[in-house]
Amino acid sequence: MALFFMRKASTAELDAFYPIRPECQVDVPKTRFRLRAGKTLSARRWHAAFSEDGHLDIAKVLRRIQRGGVHPAIKGVVWEFLLGCFDPNSTFDDRNQLRQGRREQYSRLKSECQKMVPVIGSGKFLTTPIITDDGQPIEESANGNISNNGGDANHATSDKKVIQWKLFLHQIGLDVVRTDRSLVFYESQAHQAKLWDILSVYAWVDNDIGYVQGMNDICSPMVILIDNEADAFWCFERAMRRLRENFRCSASSIGVQSQLSTLSQVIKTIDPKLHQHLEDLDGGEYLFAFRMLMVLFRREFSFVDSLYLWELMWAMEYNPNIFSSYEVPSGGATPSNVNDKELKQYGKFERNIVKTGYTEKHGALSVFLVASVLETKQKQLLKEATGLDDVVKILGDITGNLDAKKACNEALRIHKKYLKTVKQ
């Protein structure tokens, strides 16, 4: 009985952080994550992990996250470390200085975008085109939210970068309207506009990738968890450093192609029978796993569970050199000799790689997570799948029924087995 009330209290606490709109309650996947005393990283444990001047005991933090995730009250600040925004070996003063510099940099980037499209930063956003494919302005927005007067939005341009960026803006807006619409948070136009601003500025900064549908699903949690827009932007920018290749698409290939190829190789190595069956069904390219990899299982889990899954993955993939690899072009290489104490500063997934000395690029933990899902459904796939539609249907049944921690632990087991096999 006591356990029942503890679970009910945990659910109520989570619901208070991420309230669902009443009319959407029945449509969202069931949340399985529970706050667990002694396992979940709490605010008290988090603050106790810092030294007096601000050095973070990252090994202690990783251990706790991998046991029970992160309490919602501190998710945003913890994610900043997991994603490499900050170095655990820095001080409070170092980080305050770095944060201030980044906020100023974001302000400059946003101002640059505002000069071209004044709607940015206004608390409103676009859902209709403002420019034609050849750079001619479309005078008035039809969405009722904004007018395009001001700045240089009304002027024709021949700059290809500017044209391409302006063409993204209404598409970002259309996706923003569809993003996490079951959450009360996005009933606010100001919150939707914050998401649109961040994605719009990012599309301008990273003109190589620009904007691709799905990036809104990656960015949304940062917008919810981190109040300061600039800080949310840089957290998203760090997440995109891991994921941006997923969104690189051309006429001949999709962004996650290399990860799908790795997935194919992993299943072929650890379960040749299943791989052969999928090949016979013309599924050897594993395109049915496209969405899982593209947006890191956002569709397969409830909002709360997807956040839990992400922090588990990022903790397991953590490399203490991540910050320096982003800040210093030549930095971030893993030392060849890592002692036991240093090894504790690596996540479990990364630790496997360091211990085996395997240096080939072999995909992120998400690839092995998909492999773990396939292995879970292996018997059903072999018995019931007579076509790709059956494969999609069987895998679709995992929505809301997958335990994030069990899936990650199974992914680690498969990863270990795969490394051992390929090394031999």
Side-chain angles (χ1 to χ4, degrees):
M1 185 66 79
L3 185 61
F4 169 77
F5 284 116
M6 280 172 65
R7 283 180 175 166
K8 206 165 176 62
S10 167
T11 305
E13 192 174 354
L14 290 169
D15 288 346
F17 276 96
Y18 317 112
I20 304 288
R21 290 162 59 180
E23 68 272 24
C24 300
Q25 296 278 0
V26 292
D27 298 323
V28 296
K30 181 186 168 190
T31 291
R32 300 169 70 93
F33 174 67
R34 296 288 179 268
L35 298 169
R36 301 186 192 280
K39 290 188 176 180
T40 301
L41 178 65
S42 64
R44 185 180 65 80
R45 288 273 185 179
W46 170 248
H47 295 306
F50 288 94
S51 67
E52 199 174 322
D53 64 352
H55 291 88
L56 176 65
D57 185 343
I58 194 68
K60 192 182 287 184
V61 167
L62 292 176
R63 195 161 59 244
R64 181 62 63 140
I65 296 170
Q66 289 169 128
R67 285 178 71 195
V70 182
H71 192 281
I74 53 167
K75 272 189 197 293
V77 288
V78 175
W79 282 21
E80 288 180 312
F81 280 90
L82 292 180
L83 290 168
C85 294
F86 298 116
D87 184 352
N89 292 318
S90 60
T91 65
F92 290 126
D93 287 344
D94 292 336
R95 292 194 290 277
N96 287 338
Q97 198 174 341
L98 187 55
R99 192 183 291 282
Q100 191 53 43
R102 285 187 183 146
R103 286 178 178 180
E104 289 168 7
Q105 187 181 354
Y106 179 70
S107 181
R108 288 193 296 272
L109 292 169
K110 192 172 177 182
S111 294
E112 200 177 320
C113 293
Q114 274 175 318
K115 284 175 187 169
M116 295 181 284
V117 178
V119 188
I120 289 172
S122 70
K124 296 178 180 179
F125 59 97
L126 294 160
T127 55
T128 55
I130 56 169
I131 198 170
T132 61
D133 290 350
D134 60 355
Q136 297 303 311
I138 297 171
E139 290 301 323
E140 197 78 19
S141 167
N143 68 1
N145 273 345
I146 61 97
S147 164
N148 292 323
N149 298 326
D152 67 6
N154 288 342
H155 302 124
T157 180
S158 58
D159 186 320
K160 285 184 180 176
K161 180 187 174 184
V162 174
I163 293 171
Q164 186 55 66
W165 176 68
K166 287 185 176 181
L167 288 170
F168 284 136
L169 297 181
H170 78 282
Q171 185 56 59
I172 295 172
L174 290 170
D175 288 344
V176 161
V177 172
R178 293 189 284 255
T179 305
D180 291 320
R181 60 200 300 175
S182 63
L183 298 178
V184 170
F185 182 87
Y186 283 117
E187 287 183 326
S188 158
Q189 184 177 291
H191 290 155
Q192 290 182 317
K194 179 181 171 186
L195 176 59
W196 184 74
D197 285 347
I198 289 173
L199 290 168
S200 299
V201 174
Y202 182 84
W204 174 249
V205 174
D206 187 358
N207 66 299
D208 187 27
I209 300 294
Y211 174 78
V212 178
Q213 192 173 53
M215 286 163 62
N216 53 312
D217 292 306
I218 304 299
C219 187
S220 172
M222 282 80 171
V223 171
I224 294 169
L225 297 175
I226 301 173
D227 287 337
N228 184 279
E229 186 180 311
D231 296 347
F233 171 85
W234 290 112
C235 194
F236 171 63
E237 190 267 347
R238 287 301 194 261
M240 282 300 295
R241 293 205 187 203
R242 292 165 170 262
L243 301 169
R244 68 191 294 274
E245 292 307 312
N246 285 8
F247 296 98
R248 186 187 296 281
C249 298
S250 68
S252 58
S253 69
I254 54 173
V256 293
Q257 198 86 55
S258 63
Q259 290 198 345
L260 292 173
S261 299
T262 303
L263 175 62
S264 173
Q265 189 58 43
V266 169
I267 297 298
K268 189 176 180 181
T269 304
I270 64 155
D271 194 340
K273 188 177 179 182
L274 177 60
H275 177 75
Q276 187 56 55
H277 183 61
L278 293 170
E279 283 252 290
D280 293 343
L281 301 178
D282 285 334
E285 291 185 345
Y286 289 74
L287 288 172
F288 50 80
F290 171 84
R291 190 181 71 181
M292 293 183 202
L293 291 170
M294 186 85 158
V295 293
L296 291 186
F297 290 83
R298 276 300 310 269
R299 300 287 185 277
E300 285 69 33
F301 287 88
S302 71
F303 181 77
V304 172
D305 284 347
S306 60
L307 303 193
Y308 175 45
L309 176 73
W310 287 7
E311 62 209 15
L312 279 178
M313 289 169 63
W314 293 336
M316 289 176 175
E317 289 180 315
Y318 189 80
N319 184 312
N321 305 295
I322 185 174
F323 174 81
S324 55
S325 71
Y326 291 156
E327 297 295 317
V328 185
S330 58
T334 301
S336 52
N337 294 315
V338 179
N339 62 41
D340 288 345
K341 187 181 177 184
E342 291 167 337
L343 207 52
K344 288 176 182 174
Q345 296 175 19
Y346 291 77
K348 289 179 182 177
F349 179 79
E350 196 68 19
R351 208 179 295 166
N352 282 347
I353 298 165
V354 174
K355 281 161 86 170
T356 56
Y358 189 73
T359 54
E360 297 294 317
K361 287 197 81 172
H362 62 287
L365 177 56
S366 53
V367 170
F368 294 88
L369 203 56
V370 177
S372 80
V373 170
L374 289 170
E375 284 299 284
T376 304
K377 295 288 184 181
Q378 190 242 31
K379 287 180 182 173
Q380 193 180 357
L381 286 166
L382 290 174
K383 187 179 177 183
E384 298 175 19
T386 57
L388 280 182
D389 286 348
D390 295 328
V391 175
V392 172
K393 184 180 181 301
I394 290 167
L395 294 181
D397 291 342
I398 69 170
T399 300
N401 295 313
L402 209 56
D403 182 297
K405 191 173 181 183
K406 281 182 183 174
C408 280
N409 286 335
E410 177 63 11
L412 287 176
R413 188 192 67 75
I414 290 171
H415 179 235
K416 217 168 186 175
K417 183 180 176 182
Y418 177 71
L419 286 183
K420 193 175 178 182
T421 307
V422 294
K423 268 209 99 179
Q424 287 172 348

